[in-house]
Amino acid sequence: VDVAMSSVARTAPSRAHTRLPRTRRAVDGKRACAAQVTATKTHDDGFIAKAMEARASKALLADSDEVKALVSARAPTNRMEEYRFTDFAALTGVKAFVSTRAEGGVDARGLTVGEACATCALVDGVMDGAQSTIEGATKAGVVIGMASVIGADRVMGEQSAVRGNVFSAMNSASAEDALVIRAPAGVKCAMPIHVATLSTGAKDGDVMRVSAPRMTIVVEENAELTVVEDFAGQGESAYWQNGVCEIVLEKGASL
């Protein structure tokens, strides 16, 4: 970006202005470009730093290369082509982020799938055991549960490290747990698995609650699985649900 912008400043000055000597044009172009890049870096790095203050003390993927790269990362802006139509002001303008879950329960009864063999209610990224039932999926042969209980799946983090962006890296740096769903080879689960992701807002209007729900779904060779996802917010205040879902399908698998 630096080279491209400086080049334009040197070789294509506006015809409506007096043509400057070549040396001065190059210096002015470099100064303008450097000022813009510095301002962008300061703004974006400040946003990432604020968001990282709300992360868990020890995330599942805290030691991954993806997370380590956040040190030099900058948040995307609409000056980047892939985010050209995305306005991040609702996030970058927040004074502070918090991750502590709201007091009291969150009612997930409004989100139901009648034929589901399992329901996983994730509240701010953590499974609510009182509102979750996985026995049906287990009987069907599906391995399902939180990584802190059944262990992190071996493929967790592989896709986000290669195909993700700064937001997936922030999830990797923040997610203290993850929902793991694995259909072993040949298992054909006829009933859907329902995942209800609920987010709570902060009471203070100057702060935003951020959660990092994470899910890994693996459907092994010739296995079949159906997953239904629901997303909902609780309360009137704003929240940021920065979720990541990695899916691996092996030969002949169907999801």
Side-chain angles (χ1 to χ4, degrees):
V1 174
D2 293 354
V3 174
M5 293 181 68
S6 296
S7 176
V8 171
R10 288 197 303 270
T11 61
S14 172
R15 296 188 179 183
H17 295 81
T18 303
R19 187 175 181 86
L20 300 174
R22 181 177 179 83
T23 302
R24 184 177 176 183
R25 288 202 310 276
V27 172
D28 289 349
K30 289 179 180 179
R31 285 176 177 172
C33 180
Q36 182 178 10
V37 171
T38 300
T40 301
K41 183 173 182 180
T42 301
H43 177 72
D44 290 342
D45 285 354
F47 160 69
I48 292 177
K50 282 190 297 184
M52 289 296 92
E53 290 177 358
R55 63 180 171 175
S57 57
K58 180 61 176 178
L60 283 174
L61 301 170
D63 298 325
S64 65
D65 291 339
E66 180 188 22
V67 172
K68 293 175 182 177
L70 274 176
V71 175
S72 58
R74 294 199 298 268
T77 72
N78 55 18
R79 291 183 294 276
M80 300 177 180
E81 180 61 28
E82 60 268 38
Y83 296 101
R84 190 156 56 99
F85 301 106
T86 305
D87 184 3
F88 292 100
L91 292 179
T92 56
V94 174
K95 292 183 178 180
F97 293 96
V98 293
S99 62
T100 307
R101 294 177 62 188
E103 296 180 1
V106 177
D107 193 349
R109 288 177 297 179
L111 302 175
T112 59
V113 175
E115 297 181 349
C117 65
T119 297
C120 301
L122 302 180
V123 180
D124 292 333
V126 180
M127 183 181 286
D128 186 338
Q131 301 186 84
S132 302
T133 57
I134 63 173
E135 290 80 6
T138 302
K139 290 180 180 179
V142 178
V143 178
I144 182 171
M146 300 303 289
S148 58
V149 178
I150 67 174
D153 198 276
R154 62 180 181 273
V155 303
M156 188 179 297
E158 289 183 357
Q159 289 186 32
S160 63
V162 176
R163 304 177 62 186
N165 53 30
V166 66
F167 292 116
S168 63
M170 292 170 74
N171 175 286
S172 297
S174 306
E176 56 186 310
D177 212 342
L179 177 63
V180 178
I181 302 174
R182 176 179 283 272
V187 169
K188 300 183 186 300
C189 186
M191 311 297 278
I193 293 173
H194 181 215
V195 180
T197 300
L198 301 107
S199 302
T200 61
K203 295 179 180 180
D204 188 341
D206 289 334
V207 301
M208 180 181 290
R209 191 180 305 282
V210 54
S211 62
R214 194 175 187 104
M215 181 163 56
T216 300
I217 303 176
V218 180
V219 188
E220 296 183 5
E221 190 169 344
N222 296 320
E224 296 180 4
L225 190 65
T226 299
V227 177
V228 178
E229 293 188 78
D230 271 314
F231 299 86
Q234 179 95 349
E236 298 298 326
S237 55
Y239 63 90
W240 174 24
Q241 188 264 103
N242 185 32
V244 167
C245 177
E246 296 175 294
I247 298 173
V248 177
L249 302 179
E250 296 185 0
K251 182 179 179 180
S254 173
L255 176 64

